[in-house]
């Protein structure tokens, strides 16, 4: 209960270990046809025109976007296919709106391979600019949720690989029937697409339509090419009304309509006593309902967590005051010269394993400009030397701790696509590393690498809606005013004076969150870590990729390798210690003896490095989400101490 991560009951059909890519054949017109369903992906004569008519016109997008007073609009789609509908909608959004974000949320059970996708999208030259950017970000066939940002973050695609109902159900705030619509994202319009119901009936299920209704609001629209009776029945049963319109091309009719009212879920809420062994977890993780988005926010902490959060809020039109006690960003836990995108894959399908993999893939896209060395002078500020190396997608090579790891490594390599991870052996291993290693096999992640976190933090905070203040926050307090919209959080200095005031407070200051009364109960601790910086030698300079094992070493940057890192529990000093340099060098020798032999560390006392503190928890999971009111939690969920499956249908009380 100390964690704020929403760990919910997994769906009955959890995401599979492996996503099968679509098998297609190409007809005489060069159009892709699904082998599994014997159906086409789009109209071979005029696919773009059909997409615009069936989905754009029937949902009245141009009219609605003109009158849209918010800064975003969300489209949900039940079959991504070739991405044609997505690209058509994205292009129209950019051409017909000046500001705001288009969110496009789509699902695909069998994604096209990257090669087939490229060949398909070449059929539509007018979409080439967006299509080329999309192809560069196209995620590998890994089950789960992938978020992609296009067109300078004006288009955000949430692409989900898996069964349609499982994936959309995963977006709901809770699987508890009493809270089936609380905390859910809300879709403004639906594209009910996919292969025809007669050829893919499993997708067009009534449970999917119930999930669609749970993610909608009265007035949410839909359109679809099919008029099948089962589809019409499911729409009516879940609260949608529909109309018929003339079809396009050879289709006689299509459907369009909107949600009139929510109907009761097919799963009735239970009214069992509090001691009932519930199949649902208590919804303690549900965030509070928010009628209108905030206009202002405070973020305390200028590391990767604080800076990326500030940027995310600013991109949603929220004015952010970021408070950092140092004069520069990324000076503590995020201050190392080389931050490694480090994989910890597993053959398990546990929620933790899936979360870690999704986070890894997202991070490699999020920091794409650093990894691809694309940053220019725009937005970097005069203090950053753009000629210096600021990151590199050099790949990460994970080496085994023993020969016994070979079977495990083979299983991991078989489970995931080669564009994510490959098992390299012998000469291929040495070629990837750039020099001969002692190890003869390892897992290679070609899309990963390293970045300079302090520069990433500085770039993230370079936004017109982000104001940076240098100050030490000693306390936080919520000030109630007569009008709720005037109430807000205050960040206070040691004299009790307000540094800043805003509607939302985000605490991203690691272990220092312990000094605030609202969060001092969180089970966190400091763990000291020291890195060592080894001068590059002629032999070590050949290293082309990050090596990870007992420790890690990155390719040389600025004439030095970053080597680390120690794990010192219960220590408070950041003074650099020779004995920790010795520990790091020994860890390198354990990781790979041949790599260690490329160095002559000489006098360890002359080496330099850096020490800082990790903020850790007992189970090494992150803490994120709305901050709980501790006393309420202890009272509301007291029965969990006696029975971890108690039926307690109470949403968590949060600040």
């Amino acid at each position: 209960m100390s964690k704020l991560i929403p760990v919910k009951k997994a769906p009955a059909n959890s995401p599979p270990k492996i996503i099968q890519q679509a098998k297609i054949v190409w007809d005489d017109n060069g159009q892709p046809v699904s082998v599994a369903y014997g159906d086409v992906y789009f109209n071979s004569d005029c696919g773009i025109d059909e997409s615009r008519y069936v989905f754009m016109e029937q949902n009245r997008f141009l009219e609605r976007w003109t009158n849209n007073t918010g800064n975003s609009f969300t489209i949900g789609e039940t079959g991504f296919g070739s991405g044609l509908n997505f690209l058509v909608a994205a292009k129209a959004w950019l051409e017909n709106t000046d500001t705001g974000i288009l969110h496009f949320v789509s699902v695909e059970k069998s994604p096209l391979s990257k090669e087939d996708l490229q060949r398909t999208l070449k059929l539509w030259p007018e979409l080439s600019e967006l299509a080329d950017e999309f192809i560069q970000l196209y995620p590998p066939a890994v089950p789960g949720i992938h978020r992609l940002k296009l067109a300078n973050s004006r288009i955000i695609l949430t692409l989900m690989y898996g069964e349609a109902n499982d994936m959309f159900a995963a977006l709901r705030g809770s699987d508890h029937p009493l809270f089936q619509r609380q905390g859910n994202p809300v879709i403004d319009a639906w594209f009910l697409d996919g292969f025809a119901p007669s050829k893919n009936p499993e997708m067009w299920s009534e449970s999917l339509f119930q999930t669609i209704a749970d993610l909608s609001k009265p007035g949410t629209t839909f359109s679809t090419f099919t008029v099948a009776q089962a589809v019409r029945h499911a729409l009516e049963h879940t609260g949608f009304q529909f109309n018929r319109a003339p079809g396009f091309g050879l289709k006689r009719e299509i459907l369009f309509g909107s949600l009139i009212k929510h109907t009761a879920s097919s799963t009735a809420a239970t009214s069992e006593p509090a001691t009932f062994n519930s199949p649902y977890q208590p919804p303690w993780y549900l965030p509070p309902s928010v009628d209108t988005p905030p206009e202002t926010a405070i973020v305390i902490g200028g590391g990767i967590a604080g800076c990326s959060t500030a940027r995310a809020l600013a991109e949603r039109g929220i004015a952010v005051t970021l408070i950092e006690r140092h004069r520069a960003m990324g000076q503590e836990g995020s201050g190392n010269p080389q931050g490694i995108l480090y994989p910890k894959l597993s053959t398990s399908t546990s929620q933790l394993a899936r979360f870690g993999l999704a986070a890894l893939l997202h991070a490699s896209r999020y920091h794409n400009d650093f990894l691809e060395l694309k940053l220019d002078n725009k937005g970097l500020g005069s203090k950053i030397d753009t000629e210096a190396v600021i990151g590199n997608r050099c790949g990460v090579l994970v080496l085994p701790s023993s020969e016994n790891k070979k079977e495990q490594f083979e299983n991991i390599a078989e489970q995931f696509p080669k564009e994510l991870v490959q098992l390299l052996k012998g000469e291929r291993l040495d070629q990837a590393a750039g020099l001969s290693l002692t190890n003869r096999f390892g897992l290679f992640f070609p899309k990963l690498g390293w970045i300079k976190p302090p520069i990433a933090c500085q770039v993230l905070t370079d936004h017109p809606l982000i104001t940076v203040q240098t100050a030490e926050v000693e306390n936080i307090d919520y000030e109630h005013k007569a009008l709720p919209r005037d109430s807000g959080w205050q960040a206070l200095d040691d004299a009790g004076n307000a540094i800043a005031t805003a509607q939302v407070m985000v605490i991203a200051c690691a272990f220092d969150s312990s000094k605030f009364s609202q969060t001092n109960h969180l089970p966190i601790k400091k763990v000291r870590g020291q890195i060592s910086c080894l001068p590059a030698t002629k032999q070590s300079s050949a290293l082309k990729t990050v090596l990870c094992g007992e420790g890690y070493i990155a390719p040389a940057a600025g004439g030095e390798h970053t080597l680390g890192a120690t794990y010192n529990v219960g220590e408070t000093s950041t003074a650099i210690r020779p004995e920790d340099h010795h520990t790091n060098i020994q860890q390198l020798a354990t990781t790979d003896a041949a790599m260690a032999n490329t160095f002559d560390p000489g006098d360890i006392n002359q080496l330099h490095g850096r020490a800082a503190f990790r903020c850790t928890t007992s189970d090494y999971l992150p803490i994120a989400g709305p901050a709980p009111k501790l006393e309420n939690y202890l009272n509301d969920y007291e029965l969990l101490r006696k029975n971890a499956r108690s039926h307690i249908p109470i949403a968590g009380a949060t600040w």
Side-chain angles (χ1 to χ4, degrees):
M1 291 257 303
S2 62
K3 287 298 174 287
L4 309 184
I5 292 288
V7 181
K8 299 174 289 186
K9 180 184 175 184
N13 297 317
S14 296
K17 288 185 177 182
I18 299 175
I19 285 289
Q20 297 294 336
Q21 290 188 321
K23 295 181 180 179
I24 64 172
V25 294
W26 300 87
D27 65 16
D28 294 339
N29 297 318
Q31 311 286 331
V33 179
S34 169
V35 173
Y37 298 104
D39 202 358
V40 296
Y41 280 84
F42 43 77
N43 188 314
S44 60
D45 296 323
C46 43
I48 287 184
D49 293 336
E50 182 179 47
S51 178
R52 287 174 176 150
Y53 174 74
V54 175
F55 298 112
M56 301 290 294
E57 290 185 27
Q58 307 310 317
N59 282 289
R60 310 185 318 278
F61 281 162
L62 298 188
E63 170 193 339
R64 295 166 71 184
W65 292 347
T66 300
N67 299 323
N68 183 27
T69 57
N71 61 359
S72 68
F73 192 89
T74 303
I75 298 172
E77 182 187 46
T78 56
F80 188 75
S82 66
L84 176 61
N85 294 336
F86 161 66
L87 293 171
V88 167
K91 186 172 188 290
W93 175 264
L94 296 174
E95 291 175 345
N96 292 280
T97 65
D98 296 323
T99 60
I101 299 172
L102 176 67
H103 289 274
F104 197 96
V105 185
S106 188
V107 67
E108 180 56 54
K109 180 181 178 180
S110 302
L112 292 171
S113 69
K114 192 170 186 176
E115 293 73 20
D116 286 338
L117 181 70
Q118 287 176 299
R119 179 174 174 180
T120 300
L121 294 182
K122 284 181 180 179
L123 298 170
W124 318 114
E126 66 184 272
L127 303 175
S128 61
E129 185 174 354
L130 273 171
D132 290 345
E133 185 178 4
F134 168 57
I135 288 169
Q136 290 300 314
L137 298 173
Y138 190 59
V142 173
I145 299 175
H146 307 270
R147 175 163 287 191
L148 318 178
K149 293 185 176 183
L150 296 89
N152 293 319
S153 297
R154 289 207 60 211
I155 307 294
I156 297 182
L157 170 63
T158 302
L159 182 55
M160 306 183 291
Y161 289 162
E163 295 283 355
N165 188 53
D166 289 344
M167 299 314 300
F168 278 114
L171 298 182
R172 292 190 299 203
S174 175
D175 66 349
H176 196 294
L178 286 177
F179 300 90
Q180 61 188 14
R181 286 185 288 275
Q182 183 172 327
N184 292 352
V186 176
I187 307 296
D188 295 300
W190 287 94
F191 294 175
L192 304 183
D193 202 4
F195 296 116
S198 59
K199 299 183 178 182
N200 186 22
E202 293 82 4
M203 191 200 81
W204 301 84
S205 64
E206 191 163 308
S207 60
L208 172 62
F209 283 93
Q210 180 61 60
T211 300
I212 286 172
D214 290 342
L215 298 173
S216 303
K217 62 185 177 182
T220 291
T221 63
F222 79 90
S223 60
T224 180
F225 62 87
T226 181
V227 294
Q229 182 178 358
V231 173
R232 288 184 279 120
H233 173 78
L235 286 166
E236 282 184 321
H237 186 69
T238 51
F240 287 89
Q241 74 167 12
F242 60 83
N243 298 287
R244 298 173 187 259
F248 190 92
L250 299 178
K251 292 186 176 71
R252 191 173 68 179
E253 291 181 313
I254 60 174
L255 292 180
F256 69 97
S258 62
L259 182 71
I260 301 302
K261 63 178 181 179
H262 285 114
T263 60
S265 169
S266 57
T267 305
T270 63
S271 57
E272 301 290 342
T275 55
F276 174 70
N277 284 344
S278 173
Y280 309 103
Q281 287 191 355
W284 57 269
Y285 46 77
L286 276 178
S289 298
V290 178
D291 296 328
T292 57
E295 297 178 356
T296 58
I298 294 170
V299 175
I300 303 175
I304 284 287
C307 293
S308 57
T309 300
R311 184 59 177 244
L313 294 171
E315 289 179 350
R316 288 159 174 77
I318 298 170
V320 180
T321 301
L322 189 151
I323 305 175
E324 166 56 46
R325 62 185 174 195
H326 299 285
R327 293 192 176 277
M329 299 294 106
Q331 297 302 299
E332 297 204 18
S334 298
N336 285 349
Q338 290 178 294
I340 312 301
L341 292 182
Y342 180 71
K344 297 186 76 172
L345 287 192
S346 168
T347 55
S348 165
T349 58
S350 68
Q351 289 174 322
L352 177 58
R354 284 153 43 202
F355 172 79
L357 177 57
L360 181 72
L361 292 172
H362 183 72
S364 69
R365 291 189 296 267
Y366 189 82
H367 297 297
N368 187 63
D369 284 345
F370 295 95
L371 293 167
E372 297 292 348
L373 306 178
K374 290 180 182 176
L375 285 177
D376 52 29
N377 286 312
K378 182 180 179 182
L380 288 179
S382 59
K383 294 183 179 179
I384 296 180
D385 179 7
T386 55
E387 298 300 318
V389 177
I390 54 179
N392 195 353
R393 197 185 294 278
C394 58
V396 171
L397 186 58
V398 178
L399 300 174
S401 57
S402 70
E403 186 71 22
N404 296 333
K405 293 287 186 180
K406 190 170 186 179
E407 183 178 355
Q408 180 188 5
F409 278 30
E410 288 173 343
N411 291 337
I412 289 174
E414 289 175 2
Q415 180 170 318
F416 298 102
K418 289 185 177 180
E419 58 190 299
L420 172 63
V421 59
Q422 305 157 20
L423 179 64
L424 301 184
K425 302 177 183 179
E427 188 176 336
R428 290 186 63 211
L429 181 80
D430 294 340
Q431 289 174 348
L435 69 169
S436 296
L437 299 177
T438 302
N439 285 281
R440 302 322 295 149
F441 68 92
L443 289 173
F444 183 59
F445 296 79
K447 298 294 186 182
L448 304 182
W450 65 270
I451 64 170
K452 287 190 174 180
I455 294 182
C457 290
Q458 187 169 339
V459 173
L460 287 168
T461 54
D462 185 17
H463 189 282
L465 288 178
I466 298 177
T467 300
V468 176
Q469 285 190 232
T470 304
E472 180 81 45
V473 180
E474 292 295 339
N475 200 1
I476 62 174
D477 186 41
Y478 190 81
E479 186 177 32
H480 291 275
K481 295 288 186 70
L483 295 176
R485 69 172 180 268
D486 295 330
S487 301
W489 285 94
Q490 292 182 319
L492 306 173
D493 62 18
D494 57 0
N497 299 317
I499 301 168
T501 301
Q503 295 165 289
V504 169
M505 174 72 74
V506 179
I507 298 173
C509 53
F511 188 79
D512 282 339
S513 60
S514 298
K515 66 183 178 181
F516 306 132
S517 62
Q518 297 86 349
T519 50
N520 62 12
H521 61 277
L522 297 177
I524 56 179
K525 61 181 179 180
K526 282 184 177 181
V527 176
R528 180 186 181 275
Q530 179 176 314
I531 62 166
S532 303
C533 297
L534 291 181
T537 65
K538 181 178 180 181
Q539 294 81 10
S540 73
S541 296
L543 180 65
K544 297 192 300 185
T545 185
V546 176
L547 299 183
C548 293
E550 183 70 20
Y552 68 84
I553 183 170
E560 289 185 330
H561 298 270
T562 298
L563 176 66
T566 62
Y567 196 88
N568 311 122
V569 179
E571 299 189 19
T572 58
S573 172
T574 57
I576 302 303
R577 303 187 305 212
E579 58 265 33
D580 284 353
H581 286 320
H582 181 72
T583 298
N584 286 331
I585 292 170
Q586 282 198 320
Q587 284 186 164
L588 176 60
T590 304
T591 298
D592 193 89
M595 185 70 231
N597 289 336
T598 65
F599 296 101
D600 178 12
D603 185 359
I604 285 181
N605 292 299
Q606 300 303 311
L607 293 180
H608 67 279
R610 184 175 185 276
F613 295 103
R614 308 169 179 89
C615 179
T616 67
T617 61
S618 57
D619 55 10
Y620 305 104
L621 291 175
I623 295 177
K629 294 182 177 179
L630 179 61
E631 292 304 319
N632 296 69
Y633 269 61
L634 294 176
N635 292 329
D636 292 342
Y637 304 117
E638 183 179 8
L639 279 173
L640 293 180
R641 296 182 185 276
K642 300 178 181 179
N643 178 7
R645 295 182 59 195
S646 295
H647 180 245
I648 309 176
I650 302 174
T654 58
W655 292 100

